[in-house]
Amino acid sequence: MPQRHLQLAAADAARLARPSGTGLDGGAVRQRMVARLRAEGRFDERVLAAMASVPRHEFVDTALAAQAYEDTALPIGHGQTISKPSVVAHMLGLLMAGTGAAQRGGLGRVLEIGTGCGYQAAVLAMLARQVTSIERLQGLYEKAQINLHRVALPRAPRLLWADGRLGHAASGPFDSIIAAAGGDDIPPAWLEQLAPGGRLIAPTAAAGRGQVLVVLDHLSDAGGQRWVRSEHEAVLFVPLKSGVV
Ligand code: SAH
């Protein structure tokens, strides 16, 4: 039965294409990661559902695939790292809790600064109407394009190779802005491109505290337009740099 040989050959090829014994492609390991996060009781269920559907192992090198579902940051090349799953869940939860996102039940139009390997952009795509993600390193911009092509998403994030400190006015205004790299301050372009009712979250240097997560809400009501800033816990993100490489 020649057909049978073909079937066996195809099954072998599928097994060899993925690290054996990890069961990563079945998704069971990913579901366990999400179950562990859920057990902590501090994450938004919609964010966990999005993370349950994005194969994180597709975004890291094959040699690291077995660690893809541990709660750990991993190198993605070019001296950069993919954030820990719990940090991604926490930051996206803070975005979902903004007044605009709470009212519409989603993140709306999103700007991400620091595409890296594209993992967080993929999770954002599950929660948003549109995702624009900017990366300053050409090597990672290209890697993210390849990674994102491999995963099924409701709509593909728009990737740009540019200096994210300038935002992207042509795709804005944004309901949600999220930075994956930390600067000394929040670039003015981000505030200008944040829509009324929108929320921004960015690791930022704070006097005497090192780097902390800063949440900024653009409020617009009878009192006029205001930007309200709150500081959250200390964090350690790679630096927000200017220019492209
Ligand atoms: N969200 C990413 C995490 C990437 S780490 C992921 O899921 O993999 C942060 C990224 O920010 C790095 O790739 C770094 O090159 C990028 N970065 C730093 N400064 C930047 C800038 N001004 N504009 C765009 N990207 C920047």
Side-chain angles (χ1 to χ4, degrees):
M1 279 201 354
Q3 289 292 348
R4 169 129 180 90
H5 286 108
L6 284 177
Q7 277 165 15
L8 288 175
D12 277 348
R15 257 200 310 279
L16 289 172
R18 287 275 133 220
S20 61
T22 53
L24 292 177
D25 40 347
V29 195
R30 183 162 67 253
Q31 302 312 320
R32 279 204 291 280
M33 170 190 88
V34 171
R36 281 195 302 272
L37 292 174
R38 184 175 291 122
E40 289 188 41
R42 61 185 179 104
F43 300 114
D44 184 302
E45 191 50 46
R46 294 161 298 179
V47 174
L48 293 180
M51 292 175 70
S53 67
V54 176
R56 192 169 184 259
H57 67 279
E58 295 284 10
F59 293 86
V60 298
D61 287 347
T62 315
L64 297 171
Q67 293 171 62
Y69 297 107
E70 287 166 23
D71 194 21
T72 172
L74 293 171
I76 53 174
H78 306 266
Q80 309 300 320
T81 49
I82 178 175
S83 305
K84 276 164 92 145
S86 57
V87 170
V88 172
H90 177 56
M91 286 177 79
L92 301 197
L94 283 172
L95 270 189
M96 289 293 279
T99 42
Q103 273 165 14
R104 84 175 80 73
L107 298 179
R109 285 182 185 213
V110 179
L111 173 68
E112 180 190 46
I113 298 96
T115 315
C117 65
Y119 171 71
Q120 185 171 267
V123 180
L124 286 166
M126 306 298 296
L127 299 163
R129 198 153 55 80
Q130 175 198 300
V131 177
T132 303
S133 182
I134 311 179
E135 173 56 56
R136 66 182 286 275
L137 300 177
Q138 188 179 14
L140 282 178
Y141 158 75
E142 288 170 356
K143 201 178 210 179
Q145 257 176 341
I146 295 168
N147 291 343
L148 284 164
H149 261 114
R150 279 205 300 259
V151 302
L153 295 170
R155 46 205 97 63
R158 179 189 309 175
L159 302 188
L160 301 167
W161 175 39
D163 182 352
R165 292 179 51 89
L166 306 175
H168 195 249
S171 309
F174 301 100
D175 304 302
S176 311
I177 299 182
I178 180 165
D184 291 336
D185 53 21
I186 302 211
W190 298 358
L191 297 187
E192 285 158 20
Q193 293 169 27
L194 186 64
R199 173 170 273 199
L200 174 161
I201 179 162
T204 308
R209 291 190 61 201
Q211 198 183 58
V212 300
L213 273 187
V214 168
V215 171
L216 242 149
D217 285 305
H218 182 175
L219 302 183
S220 172
D221 51 29
Q225 301 218 14
R226 287 169 289 142
W227 281 263
V228 177
R229 175 189 170 115
S230 59
E231 286 183 6
H232 293 251
E233 73 273 23
V235 285
L236 205 56
F237 279 76
V238 297
L240 181 71
K241 295 187 174 168
S242 20
V244 294
V245 184

